[in-house]
Amino acid sequence: MNFKRFKFTSAQVYVGIIGLAVILIIYAFNNYAKNYLLKINKINNILLNIEKEEYRLNYYILKNSLFLYSSFDENVYSIKEIKNKINVLKDNLLKMNESFILKYLFEYKKAFNKKVYYVYEFQKVNAPIKNSTIFLDTLLSTLPELNVPVNYRKKVVYAVSSVYLAKFTNDMSLIKNININYFKKIKFNNKKANLFNQSLILHINVILNNLSKYNIYLNKILNSDSIEKLHKLKQKFLIILNIQINSFTIIGYFGIFILFALFVALIILIGMVEKDKDLLYELAYIDNVTNIYNRNKYLEDQNKFNAILLLNIDGFKNINDLYGRERGDKILMEVADFLKKLDKNVYRIVADNFAILSKDKNLVETYVKTIMNTFEYVNYSVDEKLDFQISLSAAISEKKPLLKTAEIALHYIKQNKRLKFIEYNDNLDNSEKIKRNIKKSTILSNAINNNRIIPYFQPIVDVKTDKIIKYEVLARIDNNGKIESIFPYLEIAKENRMYREITKIIISKAFEMLYNKNIYFSVNLSIEDILDAEIIWFLRKKFREFKGIEKYLTFEILESEAVKDYKQVEKFIKLMKMKNISFAIDDFGSGYSNFAHIINLDIDFIKIDGSLIKNIDKDSVSKTVVELVGLFAKRENIKTIAEFVHNKEVFEIVKNLGIDCVQGFYLYEPLSKPTEI
């Protein structure tokens, strides 16, 4: 364009300078107001999320109190979420210099911390109550097998039913008539009956000693004033927000006055350039192929709208390559003409991507239905020799920046070819996670390809003899000379289908190192491994290659994973038991198993999870749970192993509770090879 043909008068220059100054002021104010409102919106969302999480926490507490197999992990997650959001809220209020509100935030935080204290106190008594309730159920099922008097049976049934009713109705009067001394005085000649009676006394005592605390803590949690403090915080925040909005309104009126003062001068300026307006507008805002708005116009208009519909012609590059750009341009015009009939705010963003902007999200959703139906059943004629069907992919977003979020959603559709339409949500934007996963995947892939997945050996010690009886084989990664645990890489290994290779490498290397060494060892198997036909085939191959190693081998099944098909697991265990292979349940107490499943699976060892062991010298609840597990294991003739024994005090307690074996840093750290080699 030749700008020399434009001649500006001094009046135009003055009006232009003043107008530019006003625009800059408006732009600066708009940015300030927008950023402020975004911050306000962010704070308001945090407050709403905290409130939702508070109600969710109450729900989880009730769920945890009602259902025997409900996990406490949900409570911990909710507490962590609320604490994180409180810290984020505090940071945002400090950035906005809203120190007045902080006083109310601290009041809420104090009330919530008090509630958290009661949550953890509640769990300390809830855990042994639930475990004892479960155990009483299992115990009661064995009552018909015992040779005991009828009166004793009636007393047992009455005591257990009273405990159950008291647990689920919170009526303490139901357990007042339980005569625990009756059971304490009873002695049988039958050893099995005496063991039954001891277990009954222990578990009823656990419930009787904890139930009143259980009710007190539950009421304190559900009647906490933390939500009331949160509502007060929200109310004070809205007061400050209204004050700020009023100041924005005053500034807005002042801006209108300035704009009105320039109105006449601007009309004169517009009149001077009217003759060139159409040409400039077309060059700046109209796409030369489709005759609809271009990307420049979109960038100018985007902030005026609340929702975007982003469309892409499926396989358009192939159409261009196969039939030529001229026919491709005709298809672009066909699509553009159709979209113009739906809405005037239609844009060609780039190549074969089109956008429709709207202030009403529901409206663009109706456009999607119309577009999908039309382009699914109608054939388009590019010329007399070429007639074929066009299909479009569509993405909707109402989150700013509209184009960026819509492009993320559209990219997701291209990766999942079964989809034709999707609405953007924050879960689709996983750019940071992708970066972390790429880094982990690269490290893991290099380790597998360069033989840097290596076994380490954690000694397991017999409590009575203080001698090593076997080793747990652990997977490690040699990351450029730094030996790392495999645990942080397991998720990406499963997603990239490398998990199977890790299992095979560890088993192969462990078998090679320990073959003909007469050393007992255990290898971890996940439920995924057990259900993997290729792993089963691989194990059979290794057993043929290393004949006789089976009698030294124990498979540790990871109990922290949910077992959906116990029949398949039972089948696998029976198959391996034919080869004299032992089995252990790993991390017992951290996941989904119960005592009945342990019995059905024919397990030789129970490995008690480290979360129960590490604080057993300070936590009476953990001690009680471990004692119960030990009693159960002895009754079923199952050996017990305590993990995470990290100091002498823990070791002595575990030993006194009758646990058979231990492992942990107090005794040995994982070794690069067994001490016997």
Side-chain angles (χ1 to χ4, degrees), residues 371-545:
I371 292 167
M372 290 301 178
N373 290 335
T374 302
F375 283 87
E376 184 177 359
Y377 300 110
V378 177
N379 288 332
Y380 292 85
S381 178
V382 178
D383 55 38
E384 63 278 1
K385 296 181 181 180
L386 187 59
D387 184 33
F388 61 89
Q389 189 173 315
I390 303 170
S391 63
L392 276 72
S393 299
I396 287 178
S397 178
E398 57 179 347
K399 184 166 184 178
K400 303 293 181 68
L402 294 175
L403 183 57
K404 180 181 177 181
T405 54
E407 284 176 338
I408 290 172
L410 196 61
H411 178 69
Y412 182 82
I413 291 177
K414 295 303 180 183
Q415 291 180 321
N416 298 268
K417 299 188 181 298
R418 291 178 297 176
L419 295 176
K420 296 291 290 180
F421 162 72
I422 196 171
E423 182 176 343
Y424 173 81
N425 62 74
D426 289 336
N427 293 330
L428 299 178
D429 190 4
N430 58 353
S431 53
E432 289 302 319
K433 181 180 178 182
I434 289 172
K435 290 178 184 177
R436 293 194 300 270
N437 285 346
I438 288 173
K439 183 178 180 180
K440 286 183 180 179
S441 180
T442 302
I443 293 171
L444 190 58
S445 179
N446 288 337
I448 292 173
N449 294 331
N450 295 290
N451 195 29
R452 294 206 302 268
I453 301 293
I454 55 177
Y456 262 55
F457 302 84
Q458 173 93 58
I460 298 174
V461 176
D462 186 288
V463 170
K464 293 180 180 177
T465 64
D466 289 336
K467 292 182 179 180
I468 297 173
I469 59 167
K470 69 160 71 172
Y471 297 84
E472 180 183 1
V473 181
L474 305 172
R476 293 289 186 265
I477 291 181
D478 182 357
N479 185 8
N480 295 322
K482 181 182 178 183
I483 305 301
E484 297 179 356
S485 170
I486 198 71
F487 183 78
Y489 299 86
L490 288 182
E491 182 180 355
I492 195 68
K494 291 179 180 179
E495 291 177 356
N496 291 354
R497 298 184 179 180
M498 292 187 280
Y499 185 83
R500 177 192 294 157
E501 290 304 313
I502 295 171
T503 300
K504 290 162 70 174
I505 290 169
I506 290 300
I507 290 174
S508 294
K509 290 188 175 182
F511 279 25
E512 288 171 7
M513 290 181 68
L514 302 176
Y515 187 53
N516 287 334
K517 298 293 192 302
N518 299 331
I519 296 174
Y520 289 89
F521 66 102
S522 61
V523 175
N524 291 308
L525 283 185
S526 68
I527 302 304
E528 183 178 339
D529 291 325
I530 292 173
L531 301 179
D532 189 340
E534 185 173 331
I535 291 294
I536 304 300
W537 177 86
F538 170 80
L539 287 172
R540 286 174 173 170
K541 178 184 175 184
K542 288 298 173 183
F543 291 148
R544 288 194 298 268
E545 183 179 351

Side-chain angles (χ1 to χ4, degrees), residues 554-568:
T554 299
F555 281 137
E556 295 188 10
I557 301 175
L558 300 177
E559 188 263 356
S560 56
E561 298 182 19
V563 181
K564 296 180 180 178
D565 191 349
Y566 269 96
K567 289 184 178 180
Q568 285 294 105

